[in-house]
Amino acid sequence: MSLKQLIQKCSNHDTQAQSELYQIYSGKLFSVCLKYSRNYAEAEDNLQDAFVTIFNKIAQFNHKGSLEGWMKRITVNTALQKYRKQGVFEIIDEAHIEDVEVEIEDDDITIDYLLKIIQDLPDRYRLVFNLYVMDGYSHQDIAELLSISSGTSKSNLARARKILKENIEDYKRRMNSQTL
């Protein structure tokens, strides 16, 4: 079955086609959910909610761009919508923003540890970090997505980087003391 046929059948609420679409894309979209969620269970909930929206809106997909990209935007927006409702963002004075770079050497840190420390960030920092660093959004785009100022986005990114840097340095210290 072609992708266009699959989309058409999903538009007609064909449960077999919806199941097939879920099987094809759920893994990739779940990894998106993990980036924007506090934990595994919340990521599962976000994935479920995203697919409900995808199935309800799939008839609106206009075949401009990739289906996967369209579904990813819905998935990100589904996760972000929950945080917008909670009002997890604070207004920040841009003059006090300190940029922090986080350098990670490949052999130092496991992917599981990185995912854990990113998920452990406060919501506002985690969301901005993932949007900016992982998904390449600009601060202006993030500001619009999250209903915050671009200065708040920049500040939250700097604070996320600072926390991550501290966690990574602490992890390295622990690993070095264990090898001595």
Side-chain angles (χ1 to χ4, degrees), residues 93-107:
D93 178 7
E94 284 186 57
H96 295 63
I97 298 172
E98 175 189 340
D99 195 24
V100 177
E101 288 297 319
V102 179
E103 292 186 27
I104 302 170
E105 295 176 22
D106 292 339
D107 298 335

Side-chain angles (χ1 to χ4, degrees), residues 52-158:
V52 168
T53 302
I54 288 165
F55 293 142
N56 286 333
K57 294 186 175 193
I58 198 157
Q60 298 173 14
F61 177 67
N62 60 15
H63 301 280
K64 293 180 182 173
S66 73
L67 176 64
E68 183 177 332
W70 181 80
M71 292 171 59
K72 182 180 176 185
R73 279 191 305 279
I74 288 174
T75 303
V76 169
N77 283 326
T78 298
L80 295 180
Q81 186 175 25
K82 293 178 182 180
Y83 295 109
R84 281 192 295 262
K85 289 178 182 176
Q86 294 172 3
V88 298
F89 297 97
E90 59 190 58
I91 305 303
I92 303 296
D93 178 7
E94 284 186 57
H96 295 63
I97 298 172
E98 175 189 340
D99 195 24
V100 177
E101 288 297 319
V102 179
E103 292 186 27
I104 302 170
E105 295 176 22
D106 292 339
D107 298 335
D108 291 344
I109 312 273
T110 67
I111 295 295
D112 289 338
Y113 181 73
L114 280 176
L115 180 60
K116 181 194 177 316
I117 63 173
I118 291 170
Q119 285 179 326
D120 287 347
L121 287 169
D123 294 336
R124 60 188 175 271
Y125 302 159
R126 184 185 67 254
L127 297 174
V128 171
F129 178 84
N130 282 318
L131 286 167
Y132 187 85
V133 174
M134 308 296 259
D135 292 327
Y137 284 85
S138 70
H139 286 294
Q140 186 59 42
D141 291 338
I142 294 168
E144 291 171 15
L145 279 169
L146 300 177
S147 302
I148 60 175
S149 72
S150 60
T152 299
S153 175
K154 290 175 186 176
S155 173
N156 286 336
L157 175 63

